[in-house]
Amino acid sequence: MTQPKTQPGSLTRRRFLTTAAGVALATAAAFHPGRALAMDPIKTAGIYTVPVEQQWVSRIHKAALTAQERGDIDYTYSENVSNTDYARVMREYAESGYTLIIGEMFAVEAEAREVAAEYPEIAFLMGSSFKPDDALPNMAVFDNYIQDASYLSGIVAGAMTETGSIGMVGGFPIPEVNRLMHAFMAGVKETRPDASFQVSFIGSWFDPPKAKETAFAMIEGGADMLYAERFGVSDAAQEKGVLAIGNVIDTQSDYPETVVASAIWHFEPTLDKAIEEVKAGNFKAADYGVYSFMKEGGASLAPLGTFDGKVPQEALDLVEQRKAEIMSGDFVTEIDDSEPKSM
């Protein structure tokens, strides 16, 4: 399928789901995921509003490529799909015989659910802040719950900051970002109780220059450690000689003297579960967010790499202790979706 040539889109604000009256009626016919049993590999499409190089989407894309390499899916994708085009692209893939459609419907909740209702025989696995709807049995939702790894990265950051002033640059103050920032801040407090935070959101998912300028301002304000939720932040840290903590992907190879640690999202457990359910004919409305938890293999703290031996051992011991407690269930990282504030 030819990928739509659309202008880069961004999720300008989170819409609350408005349920159209026709959605429930359209899904009255039962979803028959068993129809996918004959499709091996599963014909899968990804629909993304940003480039596949963007942190969050890159993890979905990577997992899909891995599944394709082992023969589980036949994968294609469209990137830079604008919010106004999203429903149209969904329909194009649905009409082209794709059995599994994955993507991120954060800014197009109502429209995406309406499209899914029109194609009850197709499995939709979509990033969303909302819960699954039993009236829409062919749509499952997911989210990146990597707060465990973010918390551990905060422990490292707190041990490495000299001034105790930390700058945090995010895209939008939405649950997916907020919970990671809060977890990071809680981790920092473990090793630097007197830490202060400068928090700012740039209003875009992919605007490295703006993120960089925001980070510069934080450095001018005294920050010697930056939380790089967006691309561009680590560039500012590198130029000014301060440290940074990565998010979702490991960028230390690009910033070997700057990025101390990163909280990594592994989408493979989420996608693999969906593939398993489609193959078994059991795909249904469900919340796949749990497969991003560290206990499920959905998150990890990246290796220290060039910072091995530079992080205080006391902090590393605490990281290992908390990690073991997280895996055993003895420690639960708080999930706080409220907007973080400078403090």
Side-chain angles (χ1 to χ4, degrees), residues 279-290:
K279 284 186 173 182
N282 295 328
F283 190 88
K284 61 183 179 181
D287 186 351
Y288 279 57
V290 65

Side-chain angles (χ1 to χ4, degrees), residues 58-68 73 267-268 271-272:
S58 73
R59 306 309 290 176
I60 303 173
H61 183 61
K62 176 179 179 292
L65 291 175
T66 298
Q68 178 170 251
I73 66 174
F267 190 68
E268 286 79 2
L271 181 58
D272 291 351

Side-chain angles (χ1 to χ4, degrees), residues 55 58 90 98 151-152 194 212 224 333 341:
Q55 297 107 302
S58 73
M90 287 179 70
Y98 285 82
Y151 172 82
L152 298 181
D194 64 342
K212 185 177 181 180
D224 72 341
T333 306
K341 304 293 185 180

Side-chain angles (χ1 to χ4, degrees), residues 169-171 201-202 204 206-218 226 228-236:
V169 182
F201 298 92
I202 63 172
S204 173
F206 195 74
D207 192 343
K210 188 172 184 179
K212 185 177 181 180
E213 288 302 316
T214 302
F216 277 149
M218 290 179 173
L226 299 176
E229 199 272 329
R230 292 292 101 195
F231 277 152
V233 176
S234 294
D235 293 290

